[in-house]
Amino acid sequence: MRRIDWQSFLTTGVLSICLVALCANRVLVYHYYGNQEVFSSNVLLSIWLIILPDLFVLLILYTLLVYIGWKYPQYGIYGILIGLCYAIFVILVSTCNIIMLTVTGRNIEWKIVFEVDFEATYSLYTPHVYSFISLLISYFLLGCTIWSVTYRYIPNHIELNASYFQIIKFSIISIVLTHISLSIFDFIPPIYRNLSSNMALTYFPETIAYHWKAFVFMSFHTMESVSNAVIQAIRAPSVNISQPSVILKKPVQHVCLIILESVRADTVPLNQSFAKAVRASFSSGTNAAKVTPFLNSLWENSVRTTAWSTSSYTLKSLVSIFCGIYPLLGNFLKEIKYKDGFYEKCIPELLHDTFRTRSNQSKFQSAIFTTARGDFDHQQELFQQFQFDKIYDAADVYEKKGYLPDVGMFGPEDTHILPFVWKWLDERLAEARPSRLFMSLLATGTHEPFTVPDDYYSREYQDFIDDIYVNSFLNALHVSDRLVGDIIQGFKRRHIYDNTLFIVVSDHGYVFNDHGSQIRGLLSNPLEPAFSVPLMFHNPHLIAKPLTEQYSTIDILPTIMDILLSSAKSRKKSTNRLLTVSETQLQSIFSRYEGRSILRMPVEQQAERLTFSLANPGGAFAIARQYPRKLSYDVTNDEVHLYHLGYDPTESTDLLALNGDDSDMYPSWIDIKSTLQPRRKWKGRWARDILDINVFSQILSNKKEVESSSTSEKTKLDLNEMMNWAEQTFELTRLWTRLINKRYYDAMTISRDNKTAED
């Protein structure tokens, strides 16, 4: 009898606290995602549907705490312990989700977050620890209130019997079948599907499935001839070193690389297409000169273009920017596990090794600056692996100024890092024999949730656009615009502006429910605005010019080296320093890296470039793009999608989803005659080891027809031609992921072997 009373006492208390936590989570989710709906019976149904998984969680807890102890007394204590651990897990996950919803306005996909080590994940919540504790206390108080009411009506002499548990089992089965049925018949509104899935139910099986897939397809057992063909296929088009496309009148000594967070290409410079994409309207007088006056001016006076980021996850994108290499297909910074270095030298190390004094000392000193905390997902280790001489981050800011509130998600306001920038520059320039300098600044002020400093909000916050969330971003961008201006003004005051190359780029873009896609943010988002970024190279002696070819962020390193090598002393005399470069030395750089210098003319009669991108957090989507054709592979669901960006820039028509039986419903730009070929199966092909012999021949020959990106030359799209391209590109993307993985692994093995030999 006492055992039953004690279990009833425990069960009602734990379940009451869990109920409060789960309901608080769901109420906040509905507040952020459902408050625009008119209150109706459909809304009530939606609320009920998203609560079903929570009820299922509570029934699991009840089973662990009570049923196991009643049915199998010898295992009762284990059921209680497991149930309590499960309850703690549910409460913590619900609390974390509420914190992130409050801070960012978006739900966090926990199956992704927990792939980062716990130390890095914990760092996200450190600034909100008091809110976290307050929520836990509120759960306890409200839960105890509910418990006291509930337990009062449970007779102490109640005996658990078989019929009682039959009711429990019937309830569990009914809830599960109801939710499955509603999901199958598509009754659950799309906006609630991911939000209603409880982390406690989905994390473990999905993680196992993910790692099983990763284990299967990340090995690389393909003959060397195929490997070489893949290497050639993914390289940037060859350039003619003797034909520069721009003019550099005087040499450059220093480099300043500024990386802006989450700035998409249509916001720098700001244009009307942005408002159209996000389905909003600019306020009167809103234009590029008002939102980003400095960046707009800098754009007009720079060699500028639009580039594609290799990843919409910041730290992976930095690997490509600083090292000119592709990141790994895998969630979060898997690249850092190869701690002995990347398979190619990153910019700081490359500069140290390339530019030497007569006494064999490096001419360059390097430093990276950011207010982001370095403990999230191995950021500090990544910067060290880039081999910067000095690293300054939020820890240095806190040490000097004490606690500062976050602006954005990862650290205090960007301007707090500027004193460290000026001190480092002044000390280097004051040396008896000043070094050449390479510095980089990662500005995080435009990271979601797009908060701005308090003084800016009270005095300068403006209504640029009629969407509140988008307007927050534009105001944060306005603050970052001023930051970039302050940096360049600081170089002018130190009289090193004229001989410094400034590069401004974004790590990736951002998606604001573009074109009604109902997908906001970057998590598992393969849409183009997530990857398209502005890229500009600025120096007063580098003649401004727009470039219109297809570029990638892996092109930044080769372009920097092109300018610096062209700035070396030379016997050649020319009005364009790019004509004085040692072609042998520059070609050695180009041959090592798959990117290209954007300052050189490409060799004629080459196919459009093929580039790859990984959707945040790196293992969600693998995307291959040969403009205007785009193929994306959904890793989680093993699905392939195909788009033609020329005819369909909003990515609204998945060409692989078209059904030949419904050809009368096809968009007008598709040639109906080309749909007669049988549809091809794509699911389940990614992990296979056998390469299709026809596709193999195409990759090996590497003979792609040159196709214009203009859709005006063709009136209709040949669907079969797109399907053939998709076949080849899908296989190439599959092999590309294996090749990149092999390169990282080989670099680690070589470095480890070298260390062993030295020992």
Side-chain angles (χ1 to χ4, degrees), residues 499-516:
N499 59 356
T500 299
L501 172 67
F502 296 92
I503 305 107
V504 180
V505 68
S506 179
D507 53 355
H508 49 71
Y510 196 81
V511 181
F512 296 95
N513 292 338
D514 283 62
H515 308 290

PDB file of all heavy atoms in Angstrom, residues 499-516:
ATOM      1  N   ASN A 499      47.410  52.054 -49.302  1.00  0.00           N
ATOM      2  CA  ASN A 499      48.093  50.806 -49.663  1.00  0.00           C
ATOM      3  C   ASN A 499      47.496  49.587 -48.948  1.00  0.00           C
ATOM      4  O   ASN A 499      48.181  48.608 -48.691  1.00  0.00           O
ATOM      5  CB  ASN A 499      49.597  50.901 -49.380  1.00  0.00           C
ATOM      6  CG  ASN A 499      49.891  51.190 -47.926  1.00  0.00           C
ATOM      7  OD1 ASN A 499      48.978  51.393 -47.124  1.00  0.00           O
ATOM      8  ND2 ASN A 499      51.173  51.211 -47.585  1.00  0.00           N
ATOM      9  N   THR A 500      46.200  49.677 -48.628  1.00  0.00           N
ATOM     10  CA  THR A 500      45.483  48.555 -48.008  1.00  0.00           C
ATOM     11  C   THR A 500      44.375  48.073 -48.929  1.00  0.00           C
ATOM     12  O   THR A 500      43.617  48.882 -49.486  1.00  0.00           O
ATOM     13  CB  THR A 500      44.876  48.961 -46.651  1.00  0.00           C
ATOM     14  OG1 THR A 500      45.920  49.361 -45.759  1.00  0.00           O
ATOM     15  CG2 THR A 500      44.122  47.796 -46.031  1.00  0.00           C
ATOM     16  N   LEU A 501      44.293  46.782 -49.095  1.00  0.00           N
ATOM     17  CA  LEU A 501      43.196  46.160 -49.835  1.00  0.00           C
ATOM     18  C   LEU A 501      42.097  45.820 -48.844  1.00  0.00           C
ATOM     19  O   LEU A 501      42.315  45.078 -47.887  1.00  0.00           O
ATOM     20  CB  LEU A 501      43.669  44.893 -50.544  1.00  0.00           C
ATOM     21  CG  LEU A 501      42.567  44.038 -51.201  1.00  0.00           C
ATOM     22  CD1 LEU A 501      41.944  44.781 -52.379  1.00  0.00           C
ATOM     23  CD2 LEU A 501      43.123  42.682 -51.632  1.00  0.00           C
ATOM     24  N   PHE A 502      40.906  46.361 -49.072  1.00  0.00           N
ATOM     25  CA  PHE A 502      39.749  46.067 -48.226  1.00  0.00           C
ATOM     26  C   PHE A 502      38.825  45.095 -48.965  1.00  0.00           C
ATOM     27  O   PHE A 502      38.474  45.323 -50.128  1.00  0.00           O
ATOM     28  CB  PHE A 502      38.975  47.344 -47.889  1.00  0.00           C
ATOM     29  CG  PHE A 502      39.764  48.333 -47.079  1.00  0.00           C
ATOM     30  CD1 PHE A 502      40.494  49.337 -47.705  1.00  0.00           C
ATOM     31  CD2 PHE A 502      39.792  48.258 -45.698  1.00  0.00           C
ATOM     32  CE1 PHE A 502      41.225  50.246 -46.966  1.00  0.00           C
ATOM     33  CE2 PHE A 502      40.522  49.165 -44.947  1.00  0.00           C
ATOM     34  CZ  PHE A 502      41.249  50.159 -45.584  1.00  0.00           C
ATOM     35  N   ILE A 503      38.466  44.020 -48.290  1.00  0.00           N
ATOM     36  CA  ILE A 503      37.491  43.082 -48.839  1.00  0.00           C
ATOM     37  C   ILE A 503      36.301  43.067 -47.900  1.00  0.00           C
ATOM     38  O   ILE A 503      36.455  42.913 -46.678  1.00  0.00           O
ATOM     39  CB  ILE A 503      38.053  41.650 -48.966  1.00  0.00           C
ATOM     40  CG1 ILE A 503      39.337  41.638 -49.787  1.00  0.00           C
ATOM     41  CG2 ILE A 503      37.033  40.725 -49.595  1.00  0.00           C
ATOM     42  CD1 ILE A 503      40.560  41.414 -48.972  1.00  0.00           C
ATOM     43  N   VAL A 504      35.111  43.268 -48.432  1.00  0.00           N
ATOM     44  CA  VAL A 504      33.875  43.185 -47.648  1.00  0.00           C
ATOM     45  C   VAL A 504      33.016  42.088 -48.254  1.00  0.00           C
ATOM     46  O   VAL A 504      32.739  42.091 -49.457  1.00  0.00           O
ATOM     47  CB  VAL A 504      33.113  44.520 -47.635  1.00  0.00           C
ATOM     48  CG1 VAL A 504      31.837  44.394 -46.803  1.00  0.00           C
ATOM     49  CG2 VAL A 504      33.988  45.637 -47.086  1.00  0.00           C
ATOM     50  N   VAL A 505      32.611  41.144 -47.420  1.00  0.00           N
ATOM     51  CA  VAL A 505      31.816  40.011 -47.878  1.00  0.00           C
ATOM     52  C   VAL A 505      30.937  39.568 -46.720  1.00  0.00           C
ATOM     53  O   VAL A 505      31.171  39.940 -45.566  1.00  0.00           O
ATOM     54  CB  VAL A 505      32.728  38.842 -48.351  1.00  0.00           C
ATOM     55  CG1 VAL A 505      33.472  38.223 -47.179  1.00  0.00           C
ATOM     56  CG2 VAL A 505      31.939  37.796 -49.126  1.00  0.00           C
ATOM     57  N   SER A 506      29.930  38.791 -47.001  1.00  0.00           N
ATOM     58  CA  SER A 506      29.107  38.205 -45.951  1.00  0.00           C
ATOM     59  C   SER A 506      29.387  36.712 -45.864  1.00  0.00           C
ATOM     60  O   SER A 506      29.774  36.077 -46.858  1.00  0.00           O
ATOM     61  CB  SER A 506      27.620  38.436 -46.235  1.00  0.00           C
ATOM     62  OG  SER A 506      26.817  37.852 -45.221  1.00  0.00           O
ATOM     63  N   ASP A 507      29.225  36.162 -44.666  1.00  0.00           N
ATOM     64  CA  ASP A 507      29.432  34.724 -44.510  1.00  0.00           C
ATOM     65  C   ASP A 507      28.364  33.924 -45.244  1.00  0.00           C
ATOM     66  O   ASP A 507      28.617  32.843 -45.767  1.00  0.00           O
ATOM     67  CB  ASP A 507      29.479  34.338 -43.025  1.00  0.00           C
ATOM     68  CG  ASP A 507      28.263  34.842 -42.252  1.00  0.00           C
ATOM     69  OD1 ASP A 507      27.437  35.568 -42.830  1.00  0.00           O
ATOM     70  OD2 ASP A 507      28.149  34.516 -41.046  1.00  0.00           O
ATOM     71  N   HIS A 508      27.150  34.452 -45.296  1.00  0.00           N
ATOM     72  CA  HIS A 508      26.025  33.823 -45.999  1.00  0.00           C
ATOM     73  C   HIS A 508      24.882  34.825 -46.029  1.00  0.00           C
ATOM     74  O   HIS A 508      24.996  35.936 -45.490  1.00  0.00           O
ATOM     75  CB  HIS A 508      25.586  32.527 -45.300  1.00  0.00           C
ATOM     76  CG  HIS A 508      25.378  32.677 -43.817  1.00  0.00           C
ATOM     77  ND1 HIS A 508      24.321  33.382 -43.280  1.00  0.00           N
ATOM     78  CD2 HIS A 508      26.109  32.233 -42.762  1.00  0.00           C
ATOM     79  CE1 HIS A 508      24.403  33.360 -41.956  1.00  0.00           C
ATOM     80  NE2 HIS A 508      25.492  32.678 -41.618  1.00  0.00           N
ATOM     81  N   GLY A 509      23.779  34.459 -46.645  1.00  0.00           N
ATOM     82  CA  GLY A 509      22.624  35.336 -46.694  1.00  0.00           C
ATOM     83  C   GLY A 509      21.622  35.026 -45.598  1.00  0.00           C
ATOM     84  O   GLY A 509      21.977  34.509 -44.540  1.00  0.00           O
ATOM     85  N   TYR A 510      20.351  35.338 -45.873  1.00  0.00           N
ATOM     86  CA  TYR A 510      19.278  35.063 -44.924  1.00  0.00           C
ATOM     87  C   TYR A 510      17.966  34.987 -45.691  1.00  0.00           C
ATOM     88  O   TYR A 510      17.810  35.638 -46.732  1.00  0.00           O
ATOM     89  CB  TYR A 510      19.194  36.149 -43.850  1.00  0.00           C
ATOM     90  CG  TYR A 510      18.376  35.744 -42.649  1.00  0.00           C
ATOM     91  CD1 TYR A 510      18.931  34.958 -41.647  1.00  0.00           C
ATOM     92  CD2 TYR A 510      17.041  36.116 -42.536  1.00  0.00           C
ATOM     93  CE1 TYR A 510      18.185  34.563 -40.551  1.00  0.00           C
ATOM     94  CE2 TYR A 510      16.283  35.734 -41.452  1.00  0.00           C
ATOM     95  CZ  TYR A 510      16.859  34.951 -40.458  1.00  0.00           C
ATOM     96  OH  TYR A 510      16.111  34.548 -39.383  1.00  0.00           O
ATOM     97  N   VAL A 511      17.029  34.200 -45.177  1.00  0.00           N
ATOM     98  CA  VAL A 511      15.741  34.017 -45.843  1.00  0.00           C
ATOM     99  C   VAL A 511      14.639  34.565 -44.950  1.00  0.00           C
ATOM    100  O   VAL A 511      14.516  34.165 -43.788  1.00  0.00           O
ATOM    101  CB  VAL A 511      15.476  32.532 -46.160  1.00  0.00           C
ATOM    102  CG1 VAL A 511      14.137  32.373 -46.873  1.00  0.00           C
ATOM    103  CG2 VAL A 511      16.601  31.961 -47.014  1.00  0.00           C
ATOM    104  N   PHE A 512      13.845  35.480 -45.495  1.00  0.00           N
ATOM    105  CA  PHE A 512      12.723  36.088 -44.771  1.00  0.00           C
ATOM    106  C   PHE A 512      11.392  35.614 -45.370  1.00  0.00           C
ATOM    107  O   PHE A 512      10.645  36.406 -45.937  1.00  0.00           O
ATOM    108  CB  PHE A 512      12.783  37.614 -44.859  1.00  0.00           C
ATOM    109  CG  PHE A 512      13.981  38.235 -44.207  1.00  0.00           C
ATOM    110  CD1 PHE A 512      15.108  38.547 -44.957  1.00  0.00           C
ATOM    111  CD2 PHE A 512      13.985  38.526 -42.857  1.00  0.00           C
ATOM    112  CE1 PHE A 512      16.207  39.143 -44.367  1.00  0.00           C
ATOM    113  CE2 PHE A 512      15.086  39.124 -42.264  1.00  0.00           C
ATOM    114  CZ  PHE A 512      16.198  39.433 -43.012  1.00  0.00           C
ATOM    115  N   ASN A 513      11.090  34.347 -45.294  1.00  0.00           N
ATOM    116  CA  ASN A 513       9.859  33.843 -45.912  1.00  0.00           C
ATOM    117  C   ASN A 513       9.756  34.303 -47.370  1.00  0.00           C
ATOM    118  O   ASN A 513       8.679  34.691 -47.840  1.00  0.00           O
ATOM    119  CB  ASN A 513       8.617  34.320 -45.145  1.00  0.00           C
ATOM    120  CG  ASN A 513       8.531  33.702 -43.766  1.00  0.00           C
ATOM    121  OD1 ASN A 513       9.111  32.659 -43.508  1.00  0.00           O
ATOM    122  ND2 ASN A 513       7.805  34.340 -42.876  1.00  0.00           N
ATOM    123  N   ASP A 514      10.866  34.255 -48.083  1.00  0.00           N
ATOM    124  CA  ASP A 514      10.901  34.807 -49.436  1.00  0.00           C
ATOM    125  C   ASP A 514       9.849  34.174 -50.345  1.00  0.00           C
ATOM    126  O   ASP A 514       9.701  32.951 -50.381  1.00  0.00           O
ATOM    127  CB  ASP A 514      12.290  34.588 -50.042  1.00  0.00           C
ATOM    128  CG  ASP A 514      13.304  35.578 -49.496  1.00  0.00           C
ATOM    129  OD1 ASP A 514      13.542  35.564 -48.280  1.00  0.00           O
ATOM    130  OD2 ASP A 514      13.828  36.375 -50.280  1.00  0.00           O
ATOM    131  N   HIS A 515       9.148  35.042 -51.064  1.00  0.00           N
ATOM    132  CA  HIS A 515       8.161  34.624 -52.055  1.00  0.00           C
ATOM    133  C   HIS A 515       7.116  33.685 -51.452  1.00  0.00           C
ATOM    134  O   HIS A 515       6.617  32.776 -52.113  1.00  0.00           O
ATOM    135  CB  HIS A 515       8.847  33.960 -53.252  1.00  0.00           C
ATOM    136  CG  HIS A 515       9.947  34.782 -53.835  1.00  0.00           C
ATOM    137  ND1 HIS A 515       9.716  35.958 -54.523  1.00  0.00           N
ATOM    138  CD2 HIS A 515      11.299  34.629 -53.808  1.00  0.00           C
ATOM    139  CE1 HIS A 515      10.869  36.483 -54.912  1.00  0.00           C
ATOM    140  NE2 HIS A 515      11.839  35.703 -54.488  1.00  0.00           N
ATOM    141  N   GLY A 516       6.813  33.907 -50.162  1.00  0.00           N
ATOM    142  CA  GLY A 516       5.796  33.081 -49.513  1.00  0.00           C
ATOM    143  C   GLY A 516       6.220  31.660 -49.267  1.00  0.00           C
ATOM    144  O   GLY A 516       5.388  30.753 -49.200  1.00  0.00           O
TER     145      GLY A 516
END
